[in-house]
Amino acid sequence: MINVSLIGSTGYAGIELVRLLIAHPEVNIAHLVSHSHAGEPISHVYPNLKGICEKICTSLDIDAITADSDVVFTSLPHGASDDIVQVLHERGIKVIDLSGDFRYTDISTYEKWYGRTHNSPHLSNMAVYGLPELYRDDIKNASIVANPGCYTTCSILPLAPLVAHNLIDTKSIIIDAKSGATGAGKTPSQPLHFCELDENMRAYKIATHRHTSEIEEKLSLIADKDITLSFTPHILPIKRGIFCTIYANLNDKYNADFIYDIYNKFYADEPFIYIYNNEETLPELKFVNGSNHCHIGFVIDKRLNRIIIVSVLDNLIKGAGGQAIQNMNIMFEIKETTGLDGPAWYL
Amino acid sequence: MINVSLIGSTGYAGIELVRLLIAHPEVNIAHLVSHSHAGEPISHVYPNLKGICEKICTSLDIDAITADSDVVFTSLPHGASDDIVQVLHERGIKVIDLSGDFRYTDISTYEKWYGRTHNSPHLSNMAVYGLPELYRDDIKNASIVANPGCYTTCSILPLAPLVAHNLIDTKSIIIDAKSGATGAGKTPSQPLHFCELDENMRAYKIATHRHTSEIEEKLSLIADKDITLSFTPHILPIKRGIFCTIYANLNDKYNADFIYDIYNKFYADEPFIYIYNNEETLPELKFVNGSNHCHIGFVIDKRLNRIIIVSVLDNLIKGAGGQAIQNMNIMFEIKETTGLDGPAWYL
Amino acid sequence: MINVSLIGSTGYAGIELVRLLIAHPEVNIAHLVSHSHAGEPISHVYPNLKGICEKICTSLDIDAITADSDVVFTSLPHGASDDIVQVLHERGIKVIDLSGDFRYTDISTYEKWYGRTHNSPHLSNMAVYGLPELYRDDIKNASIVANPGCYTTCSILPLAPLVAHNLIDTKSIIIDAKSGATGAGKTPSQPLHFCELDENMRAYKIATHRHTSEIEEKLSLIADKDITLSFTPHILPIKRGIFCTIYANLNDKYNADFIYDIYNKFYADEPFIYIYNNEETLPELKFVNGSNHCHIGFVIDKRLNRIIIVSVLDNLIKGAGGQAIQNMNIMFEIKETTGLDGPAWYL
Amino acid sequence: MINVSLIGSTGYAGIELVRLLIAHPEVNIAHLVSHSHAGEPISHVYPNLKGICEKICTSLDIDAITADSDVVFTSLPHGASDDIVQVLHERGIKVIDLSGDFRYTDISTYEKWYGRTHNSPHLSNMAVYGLPELYRDDIKNASIVANPGCYTTCSILPLAPLVAHNLIDTKSIIIDAKSGATGAGKTPSQPLHFCELDENMRAYKIATHRHTSEIEEKLSLIADKDITLSFTPHILPIKRGIFCTIYANLNDKYNADFIYDIYNKFYADEPFIYIYNNEETLPELKFVNGSNHCHIGFVIDKRLNRIIIVSVLDNLIKGAGGQAIQNMNIMFEIKETTGLDGPAWYL
């Protein structure tokens, strides 16, 4: 059994991770740290756990965590992760961090887009970007994994093969992203008030969202040239799911079969990636919500010689806690799909 | 033109009243008082008013309101209305109050259920309960109208004819009420956070909701005997609408046609009440949302000799601002349906 | 491994059963019978299964099913089950039937409420009502299990202890039930068209819904006297969940602790039942949706000496496929919670 | 009073037009033609009209319509409009057609994208494209107005000023459009079944949607050069509203104030267009749903020298029936905002 602790257990990403870990056959939950609910049973905060997990949330106690944990998941706001990960790392604990703090190869990009000075750039440099489909071998031996977020995973996975094979004009990439409201977190606010979002949708942080820089950096590393792109996040009146509609001009007149082969070879044997061929319907949120899967479909617009891609995943699973468990499975050399093999709910 | 001012313009009941008043052909809006948004254009708080109503919200200025207003709508929390209505009344201004403060005939019932001492019981005694279908004549000459709320209107209207004609066992009345989330107001909170309410529903304040006492008092006055009843409010993952399912044992073996006739005679010529006959579908929220109408349908369960009633209305219109305008129209002797004659949206 | 086949795999109850069976560690799926999609991969009909279950749906082939199956789940309309269950039973196959056809002790009640003559009343008599919390011992040895539906499970579980202990006036029982739209099935129709149900709700089949008779029969057997009651179903603009608000007059002045003890003793050690004590919040759909759990809370209205109960469950799981698997686990003597131990989704 | 008739009264566009016409102070409804509901009161099909409009739907009777109508709205599928408009025109009746049949300047484009031969190209040539903000003067004297649809109105209005002033690279235009489900009409189908769309979203007809060609033709006429562009429609789990996110590369380094001025001058005095300046929030669906308004906001991404525009409108009003009434008002020389001056609902 892998002994795991969570820091930041009662936010939406945290509690989804708890839910998935409860069902993981090789995991023992050691500590559930929650600043805001220390002393309360987790099942009091989330009554879906009544009779299932009655563990008491605790305050942060590094000694206790160190003593009992093989790995710690940190699900904290950026900035807050920075220092705690450093402490845990010094104690020799493996960390899977769900914040943006350790995701960047170039610290200056991080500091520019996040507007803060990083306290442990040496650790950021040694952290591995936890996208298993691209960095599985590095993840195996990582001591710090920087778990990518929902928007970035749903953007990088469909674009990586095209960029790697130099099939698209990298100046023309536009990612129109739509997210369920869980992506905005648990804290009540006017824009997330039920009556303000229901039957509505909105765009936000156009041209300035931090994940733009993360997507750009990872794709640039793959392409071996600087890529800048448009990333427009929207919030939908639903709970779960990321839906990306991605546009790029093709470098040549590729047909759909050719692109389909590229994708299938790039993601051959990947258990969580499914590529739609040309004759199928396009991916929808209900095909992935509740699962760790990412579905990718596309259309070639021959008139404009442009590819339009639709990619979908569950922001709380493949875009957060599920991917974190996938990384843990790799790090602890158990079957990568353990605890993650259920299909999406559809209903 | 009737010069009207609103105190409490930027809550959900307030802004819906603003929206309806803008479309009212005989109204001039004098002041929009908003404690939280004084100095801001109302269209900044509610961008649906951009280019339509750019009035600036103001702080409460009794002199200005007195000078410019024929009638004031107070859309404030209970307790807050109590004192302001008193001041406005002393200045000779007609008031339509949307809070619970002036709705009770018996002040002690109010004080018990609201847990506060009333500051102006003499005014409460002279205030008229603003349910036009029952108290139209009194409303005509009222200087203070206590506008009933959504749950009470949707409960009293279908029960009044049955109680008035002594057709039901008044000990057996059960009102199972379901409300859209606008009824819970604009202030963000965990239970009203989008992801907490979406795809969910909940019951609350079972056996203790204040409107229980208001419904009981009004029905007791009609029946001329003490009525107590069960009232269970639920919140639905939708914005608008009250849906009441009401149960009562019949005092004798009445058939559906008899009951239908009772209703139709009781509400003959009422412009906003529609009774469904036995062969029709039952009322649904989409048949009334967006309108000032209340639809009432029923089934006689002959096996159990029990009537089951379904009543629906828009909590923000017939259950708040629309009814307030209906009262204003009566007070100022203009056609009662003025500004309120649009059908429900359906879509 | 238990070899299972499904007849009626592509309706909503069927596909949810498929989803749960895929994750069941001791099950091998032999045949997925679907009249409407025979010859198609199930993952073509439900793309959430792409890459997970690519089994081809088949036409009904009794010989093939007999050869390969230890148990068959029949998820068919009532009437259609009647004959097929008979054939399967003659072949010596255990059957778990999700229709209403085998649920009644008194065939004449079935025939009256369903408006058809039963073709195999002898089998109906030997079938066991598959509510494990009440009939676990009989289920162990059953060859035909009649799996109760969503409304009935959510109604009987909270009422059984009160009726068994004679705590309530059985003439006063009112069940106001609200259901997610999956309960109405997969077939498109005007009332289930997205724009007709979204932001709406409706009541239907008041005083005439078939499940009324099933609830009455089972409670009458427990009480050992005839019980009739009001059951009012409503459809909500959400996908999953049954929410019952239940009213009954108490036979004496019981306090909440007493009732809480009654419930807890009645359901002691039940893995899927959770009783809320008096100081907790009430059950909500999001506390059970996605799980096989039923949560029960209640309020004693001392003023009226009436109990108001809130019970919730997931109509597709504890109200259909999950309960069917629970029954299978009991019949095959494996741990009752196998494949059903995940918590509700909450989000 | 203007005597109007509708052909196709009981589809979603039709009934919304009925709802708006009922509230129009200068309109008398002569005939409500409905093939599927002839002989039924419209209030039976749409119970929101109970007690408000009890008119009986009729079969198509050209003589009766000719005798009683000053103008006819045809809300029919494309192809069906073609012939009926011809007949009405020959009788000398003004027609406002909501289908695609008369919208194209170049009939061959219509025939290619709609896959049918036009029966009355001479009428199509004389029909005026009913976008008042661009073609008001022509509409005044039109006998046939081709009312633009929701996607096209929401796409053309924000792009016209930029194209007219040659501010954007017309090869780079991408329109990512999201629509409420009423846009897909009233007919039940699997993809529009409540449980299939709720908490979901999907893209459809990528690169092949007919409205692509309509947007291209109108913008090409404004630009006086051929424009081709990407248009991607999505369906959202909400009832109303079009939300377009539009991308285009700027031809020079324009700042936001410059663009804001361009928009404001282009749409000066337009009663239904509102341009958001740089410091405001972006448009949201709830700011326009229920109204005839179109709100336009934008962000200049200086890094990429690209403009990202957000435009929103109510698909059933400014995208269908409201725009049709706006056209009627112009044709009959009454105030253009008559019957259309209400603000959006917000809630």
Side-chain angles (χ1 to χ4, degrees):
Chain A
M1 298 296 272
I2 308 165
N3 294 300
V4 311
S5 291
L6 277 79
I7 304 180
S9 308
T10 53
Y12 282 164
I15 196 62
E16 183 72 358
L17 192 45
V18 171
R19 188 180 72 83
L20 295 170
L21 288 170
I22 286 171
H24 193 294
E26 313 227 8
V27 157
N28 171 53
I29 298 178
H31 299 281
L32 296 178
V33 178
S34 167
H35 181 69
S36 48
H37 292 285
E40 281 184 71
I42 187 87
S43 69
H44 184 251
V45 190
Y46 288 98
N48 59 317
L49 301 182
K50 279 178 191 292
I52 295 173
C53 174
E54 301 287 359
K55 224 171 168 65
I56 310 292
C57 297
T58 56
S59 297
L60 181 60
D61 177 341
I62 293 287
D63 289 338
I65 288 173
T66 307
D68 299 338
S69 314
D70 300 313
V71 61
V72 173
F73 295 94
T74 45
S75 180
L76 296 167
H78 70 267
S81 268
D82 189 347
D83 296 335
I84 286 175
V85 170
Q86 190 168 0
V87 173
L88 291 166
H89 181 71
E90 284 164 5
R91 301 289 187 103
I93 306 290
K94 286 176 192 289
V95 182
I96 299 171
D97 178 50
L98 279 76
S99 86
D101 283 351
F102 295 88
R103 291 182 189 153
Y104 286 76
T105 299
D106 183 345
I107 289 289
S108 69
T109 304
Y110 170 84
E111 294 188 336
K112 183 172 135 205
W113 285 77
Y114 281 72
R116 67 179 291 273
T117 304
H118 205 293
N119 292 338
S120 46
H122 60 296
L123 293 187
S124 191
N125 285 338
M126 61 167 291
V128 174
Y129 193 66
L131 196 56
E133 290 78 10
L134 298 181
Y135 302 106
R136 184 172 285 111
D137 288 343
D138 297 330
I139 294 165
K140 280 179 188 159
N141 305 304
S143 53
I144 302 173
V145 166
N147 204 64
C150 47
Y151 280 134
T152 45
T153 300
C154 201
S155 298
I156 294 171
L157 287 173
L159 282 166
L162 306 183
V163 162
H165 288 85
N166 194 26
L167 304 181
I168 56 173
D169 172 5
T170 54
K171 290 190 193 313
S172 72
I173 301 171
I174 287 171
I175 303 167
D176 194 275
K178 300 91 175 170
S179 172
T182 49
K186 187 192 177 187
T187 307
S189 67
Q190 204 68 52
L192 297 172
H193 195 56
F194 181 83
C195 297
E196 301 285 328
L197 184 54
D198 182 47
E199 296 289 295
N200 193 23
M201 75 171 284
R202 65 173 72 92
Y204 66 103
K205 292 188 187 165
I206 294 182
T208 62
H209 194 284
R210 284 165 180 145
H211 289 173
T212 312
S213 63
E214 187 181 329
I215 300 165
E216 288 177 348
E217 182 184 81
K218 301 314 169 195
L219 292 179
S220 295
L221 289 169
I222 294 167
D224 200 18
K225 65 174 170 181
D226 277 356
I227 294 179
T228 54
L229 49 77
S230 282
F231 171 76
T232 307
H234 302 76
I235 195 157
L236 296 174
I238 64 172
K239 280 192 284 195
R240 285 173 180 256
I242 300 286
F243 188 112
C244 287
T245 315
I246 303 176
Y247 303 83
N249 296 333
L250 295 170
N251 284 336
D252 209 334
K253 294 199 175 297
Y254 312 116
N255 67 22
D257 287 345
F258 173 79
I259 300 288
Y260 182 62
D261 280 351
I262 291 281
Y263 271 119
N264 268 319
K265 281 176 190 150
F266 199 91
Y267 291 125
D269 305 322
E270 283 299 338
F272 297 119
I273 310 289
Y274 191 89
I275 310 299
Y276 285 55
N277 74 37
N278 219 20
E279 287 153 24
E280 289 176 295
T281 179
L282 289 161
E284 302 182 16
L285 292 178
K286 71 184 174 212
F287 303 163
V288 293
N289 278 349
S291 82
N292 197 50
H293 290 248
C294 175
H295 285 198
I296 300 170
F298 64 90
V299 170
I300 306 290
D301 186 343
K302 289 182 186 168
R303 267 191 345 136
L304 308 180
N305 204 35
R306 187 174 284 161
I307 187 167
I308 300 102
I309 310 166
V310 170
S311 58
V312 294
L313 54 76
D314 184 325
N315 59 305
L316 292 174
I317 305 185
K318 184 61 178 169
Q323 184 142 274
I325 290 174
Q326 189 181 355
N327 281 314
M328 180 196 74
N329 291 346
I330 295 169
M331 293 162 86
F332 288 84
E333 297 185 2
I334 61 177
K335 195 176 172 218
E336 192 169 326
T337 56
T338 310
L340 298 171
D341 39 16
W345 304 326
Y346 193 92
L347 295 173
Chain B
M1 299 295 272
I2 308 164
N3 293 299
V4 311
S5 292
L6 276 79
I7 303 180
S9 308
T10 54
Y12 283 164
I15 195 61
E16 182 71 357
L17 192 45
V18 171
R19 187 179 73 83
L20 295 170
L21 288 170
I22 286 171
H24 193 293
E26 313 226 9
V27 157
N28 170 53
I29 299 178
H31 300 280
L32 296 177
V33 178
S34 168
H35 181 69
S36 48
H37 293 285
E40 282 183 70
I42 186 88
S43 70
H44 184 251
V45 190
Y46 288 98
N48 59 317
L49 302 182
K50 279 178 191 292
I52 295 172
C53 175
E54 302 287 359
K55 223 170 170 66
I56 309 292
C57 297
T58 56
S59 296
L60 181 60
D61 176 341
I62 293 287
D63 288 339
I65 288 173
T66 307
D68 300 338
S69 314
D70 299 313
V71 61
V72 173
F73 296 94
T74 44
S75 180
L76 296 167
H78 70 266
S81 268
D82 188 348
D83 296 335
I84 286 175
V85 170
Q86 191 168 0
V87 173
L88 292 166
H89 181 71
E90 284 164 4
R91 301 289 186 102
I93 306 290
K94 285 177 193 287
V95 182
I96 298 171
D97 179 50
L98 279 75
S99 84
D101 283 351
F102 295 88
R103 291 182 189 153
Y104 286 76
T105 298
D106 183 344
I107 290 289
S108 69
T109 303
Y110 170 84
E111 295 189 335
K112 182 172 136 204
W113 285 77
Y114 283 71
R116 67 179 290 275
T117 304
H118 204 293
N119 292 338
S120 46
H122 59 296
L123 293 187
S124 191
N125 285 338
M126 60 168 290
V128 173
Y129 193 65
L131 195 55
E133 290 78 7
L134 297 182
Y135 302 105
R136 184 172 285 111
D137 289 343
D138 297 330
I139 294 164
K140 279 178 188 161
N141 304 304
S143 54
I144 302 174
V145 167
N147 204 62
C150 47
Y151 280 134
T152 44
T153 301
C154 200
S155 299
I156 294 170
L157 287 174
L159 282 166
L162 306 184
V163 163
H165 288 85
N166 194 26
L167 304 181
I168 55 174
D169 172 4
T170 54
K171 290 190 192 314
S172 72
I173 301 171
I174 286 171
I175 304 167
D176 193 275
K178 300 91 174 172
S179 172
T182 48
K186 187 193 177 188
T187 308
S189 67
Q190 204 67 52
L192 297 172
H193 195 55
F194 181 82
C195 296
E196 301 285 328
L197 184 54
D198 182 47
E199 296 289 295
N200 193 24
M201 75 171 284
R202 66 174 70 92
Y204 65 103
K205 292 189 189 165
I206 294 183
T208 62
H209 194 285
R210 283 165 181 145
H211 290 173
T212 312
S213 62
E214 187 181 329
I215 300 165
E216 287 177 347
E217 182 184 81
K218 300 314 169 195
L219 292 180
S220 296
L221 290 169
I222 294 168
D224 200 18
K225 66 174 169 180
D226 276 355
I227 293 180
T228 54
L229 50 77
S230 282
F231 171 75
T232 306
H234 303 75
I235 195 157
L236 296 173
I238 64 173
K239 281 193 283 195
R240 285 173 181 257
I242 300 286
F243 188 112
C244 288
T245 314
I246 304 176
Y247 302 83
N249 296 333
L250 294 171
N251 283 337
D252 209 334
K253 294 198 175 297
Y254 312 116
N255 66 22
D257 287 345
F258 174 78
I259 300 288
Y260 182 62
D261 279 351
I262 291 282
Y263 271 119
N264 269 319
K265 281 175 190 151
F266 199 91
Y267 291 124
D269 304 322
E270 284 299 337
F272 297 119
I273 310 289
Y274 190 89
I275 310 300
Y276 285 55
N277 73 38
N278 220 20
E279 286 153 24
E280 290 176 295
T281 179
L282 289 161
E284 302 182 15
L285 292 179
K286 71 184 173 210
F287 303 163
V288 294
N289 277 350
S291 82
N292 197 51
H293 290 247
C294 175
H295 284 198
I296 300 170
F298 64 90
V299 170
I300 306 290
D301 186 342
K302 288 182 185 168
R303 264 188 352 131
L304 308 180
N305 203 35
R306 187 175 284 160
I307 187 168
I308 300 103
I309 310 166
V310 170
S311 57
V312 294
L313 54 76
D314 185 325
N315 59 306
L316 292 174
I317 304 185
K318 184 62 178 168
Q323 184 142 274
I325 290 174
Q326 188 180 355
N327 281 315
M328 179 196 75
N329 291 346
I330 294 169
M331 293 161 86
F332 287 84
E333 296 185 3
I334 61 177
K335 196 178 172 216
E336 191 169 326
T337 56
T338 310
L340 298 171
D341 40 15
W345 305 326
Y346 193 93
L347 295 174
Chain C
M1 298 296 271
I2 309 165
N3 294 300
V4 311
S5 291
L6 277 78
I7 304 179
S9 308
T10 54
Y12 282 164
I15 195 61
E16 182 72 358
L17 192 45
V18 171
R19 189 181 71 83
L20 295 170
L21 288 170
I22 286 172
H24 193 294
E26 313 227 7
V27 158
N28 171 53
I29 299 177
H31 299 281
L32 297 177
V33 178
S34 168
H35 180 70
S36 47
H37 293 284
E40 282 183 71
I42 186 89
S43 69
H44 184 250
V45 191
Y46 288 99
N48 58 318
L49 301 181
K50 278 177 190 293
I52 294 172
C53 174
E54 302 286 359
K55 223 171 169 64
I56 310 292
C57 297
T58 57
S59 295
L60 182 60
D61 176 341
I62 293 288
D63 289 337
I65 288 173
T66 307
D68 299 339
S69 314
D70 300 312
V71 60
V72 173
F73 296 94
T74 45
S75 180
L76 297 167
H78 69 265
S81 268
D82 188 348
D83 296 334
I84 287 176
V85 169
Q86 191 168 358
V87 174
L88 292 166
H89 180 72
E90 284 163 4
R91 301 288 185 104
I93 305 290
K94 287 176 191 287
V95 182
I96 299 171
D97 178 50
L98 279 75
S99 85
D101 283 351
F102 295 87
R103 291 181 189 153
Y104 286 75
T105 298
D106 183 344
I107 290 288
S108 69
T109 303
Y110 170 84
E111 295 189 336
K112 181 173 136 204
W113 286 76
Y114 282 71
R116 68 179 292 273
T117 304
H118 204 293
N119 292 338
S120 46
H122 59 296
L123 293 186
S124 192
N125 285 338
M126 60 168 289
V128 174
Y129 192 66
L131 195 55
E133 290 78 7
L134 297 181
Y135 302 105
R136 184 172 284 112
D137 288 342
D138 297 330
I139 295 164
K140 279 179 188 159
N141 304 305
S143 54
I144 301 173
V145 167
N147 204 61
C150 47
Y151 280 135
T152 44
T153 301
C154 200
S155 298
I156 294 171
L157 287 174
L159 282 166
L162 306 182
V163 162
H165 288 85
N166 194 27
L167 304 182
I168 55 174
D169 173 4
T170 54
K171 291 189 193 313
S172 71
I173 300 171
I174 287 171
I175 303 167
D176 193 275
K178 300 92 175 170
S179 173
T182 49
K186 187 192 177 187
T187 307
S189 67
Q190 205 67 53
L192 297 172
H193 195 55
F194 182 83
C195 297
E196 300 285 329
L197 184 54
D198 183 47
E199 297 290 295
N200 193 24
M201 76 171 284
R202 65 173 71 92
Y204 66 103
K205 292 188 186 167
I206 293 182
T208 62
H209 194 285
R210 285 166 180 143
H211 290 173
T212 311
S213 63
E214 186 181 330
I215 300 165
E216 288 177 349
E217 183 185 81
K218 300 315 169 195
L219 292 179
S220 295
L221 290 168
I222 294 168
D224 200 17
K225 65 174 169 181
D226 276 356
I227 293 179
T228 55
L229 50 78
S230 281
F231 171 74
T232 307
H234 302 76
I235 196 157
L236 296 174
I238 64 174
K239 281 193 283 196
R240 284 173 180 256
I242 300 286
F243 188 112
C244 287
T245 314
I246 304 176
Y247 303 83
N249 296 333
L250 294 170
N251 283 338
D252 208 334
K253 294 199 175 298
Y254 311 116
N255 66 23
D257 287 344
F258 174 78
I259 301 289
Y260 181 62
D261 279 351
I262 292 282
Y263 271 120
N264 267 319
K265 280 175 191 151
F266 199 91
Y267 291 125
D269 305 323
E270 283 300 337
F272 297 120
I273 309 290
Y274 190 90
I275 310 300
Y276 285 55
N277 72 37
N278 219 20
E279 287 153 23
E280 289 176 294
T281 178
L282 289 160
E284 302 181 17
L285 292 179
K286 71 184 173 207
F287 303 163
V288 294
N289 277 350
S291 82
N292 197 50
H293 290 248
C294 175
H295 284 198
I296 300 170
F298 64 91
V299 169
I300 306 291
D301 185 342
K302 289 183 186 169
R303 267 192 345 137
L304 309 179
N305 203 35
R306 187 174 284 159
I307 187 168
I308 300 103
I309 309 167
V310 170
S311 58
V312 293
L313 54 75
D314 185 326
N315 60 306
L316 291 174
I317 305 186
K318 183 62 178 169
Q323 185 142 273
I325 290 175
Q326 187 181 355
N327 282 315
M328 179 196 75
N329 290 345
I330 294 169
M331 292 162 86
F332 288 85
E333 296 184 3
I334 62 177
K335 195 178 173 216
E336 191 169 328
T337 56
T338 309
L340 299 171
D341 39 15
W345 305 327
Y346 193 92
L347 294 173
Chain D
M1 297 296 271
I2 308 164
N3 293 299
V4 312
S5 291
L6 277 79
I7 304 179
S9 308
T10 53
Y12 282 164
I15 196 60
E16 182 72 358
L17 192 45
V18 172
R19 188 181 72 84
L20 295 170
L21 288 169
I22 285 171
H24 194 294
E26 313 227 7
V27 158
N28 171 52
I29 300 178
H31 299 281
L32 296 177
V33 178
S34 168
H35 181 69
S36 47
H37 293 284
E40 281 183 71
I42 186 89
S43 70
H44 184 250
V45 190
Y46 289 99
N48 58 318
L49 301 181
K50 277 179 190 293
I52 295 172
C53 174
E54 302 286 359
K55 222 169 170 67
I56 310 291
C57 297
T58 56
S59 297
L60 181 60
D61 176 341
I62 293 287
D63 290 338
I65 288 173
T66 307
D68 300 338
S69 314
D70 300 311
V71 61
V72 173
F73 296 94
T74 45
S75 180
L76 296 166
H78 68 266
S81 268
D82 188 348
D83 296 335
I84 286 176
V85 169
Q86 192 169 359
V87 173
L88 291 167
H89 180 72
E90 284 164 5
R91 300 289 186 103
I93 306 290
K94 287 177 192 287
V95 182
I96 299 171
D97 178 49
L98 279 75
S99 85
D101 283 351
F102 295 88
R103 292 182 189 152
Y104 287 75
T105 298
D106 183 345
I107 290 288
S108 69
T109 304
Y110 169 84
E111 295 189 335
K112 182 171 135 205
W113 285 77
Y114 283 71
R116 68 179 290 274
T117 305
H118 204 293
N119 293 336
S120 46
H122 59 296
L123 293 187
S124 192
N125 285 337
M126 60 167 290
V128 173
Y129 193 66
L131 196 55
E133 290 78 8
L134 297 181
Y135 303 105
R136 183 172 284 112
D137 287 344
D138 297 330
I139 294 163
K140 280 179 188 159
N141 303 305
S143 54
I144 301 173
V145 167
N147 204 62
C150 47
Y151 281 135
T152 45
T153 301
C154 200
S155 298
I156 294 171
L157 287 174
L159 282 165
L162 305 182
V163 162
H165 287 86
N166 194 26
L167 304 182
I168 55 173
D169 172 5
T170 54
K171 291 189 193 313
S172 71
I173 301 172
I174 287 170
I175 303 168
D176 193 274
K178 300 92 176 170
S179 173
T182 49
K186 187 193 176 186
T187 308
S189 67
Q190 205 68 54
L192 297 173
H193 195 55
F194 181 83
C195 296
E196 301 284 328
L197 184 55
D198 182 48
E199 296 289 296
N200 194 24
M201 75 171 284
R202 65 174 71 93
Y204 65 103
K205 292 189 186 165
I206 294 182
T208 62
H209 195 284
R210 284 166 180 143
H211 290 174
T212 311
S213 63
E214 187 181 330
I215 299 165
E216 287 177 349
E217 182 185 81
K218 299 316 169 195
L219 292 180
S220 296
L221 290 168
I222 294 168
D224 200 17
K225 65 175 169 181
D226 277 355
I227 294 179
T228 53
L229 49 79
S230 282
F231 171 74
T232 307
H234 303 75
I235 195 156
L236 296 174
I238 64 173
K239 280 193 284 195
R240 285 172 180 257
I242 300 286
F243 188 112
C244 288
T245 314
I246 304 176
Y247 302 84
N249 296 333
L250 294 170
N251 283 337
D252 209 334
K253 294 198 175 300
Y254 312 116
N255 66 23
D257 287 345
F258 173 78
I259 300 288
Y260 182 63
D261 279 352
I262 291 282
Y263 271 119
N264 268 319
K265 280 174 191 152
F266 200 91
Y267 290 125
D269 305 324
E270 283 299 338
F272 297 119
I273 310 289
Y274 191 89
I275 310 299
Y276 285 56
N277 72 38
N278 219 20
E279 288 152 25
E280 288 176 294
T281 179
L282 290 161
E284 303 181 16
L285 292 179
K286 72 183 173 210
F287 303 163
V288 294
N289 278 350
S291 81
N292 198 50
H293 290 248
C294 175
H295 284 199
I296 301 171
F298 64 90
V299 170
I300 306 291
D301 186 343
K302 289 182 186 169
R303 264 188 352 132
L304 309 179
N305 203 36
R306 186 174 285 159
I307 187 168
I308 300 103
I309 309 167
V310 170
S311 58
V312 293
L313 53 76
D314 185 325
N315 60 307
L316 291 174
I317 305 185
K318 184 61 179 170
Q323 186 142 272
I325 290 174
Q326 188 180 356
N327 282 314
M328 179 196 74
N329 291 345
I330 295 169
M331 293 162 86
F332 287 84
E333 297 185 2
I334 62 177
K335 195 177 173 215
E336 192 170 326
T337 56
T338 309
L340 299 171
D341 40 15
W345 305 326
Y346 193 92
L347 294 174

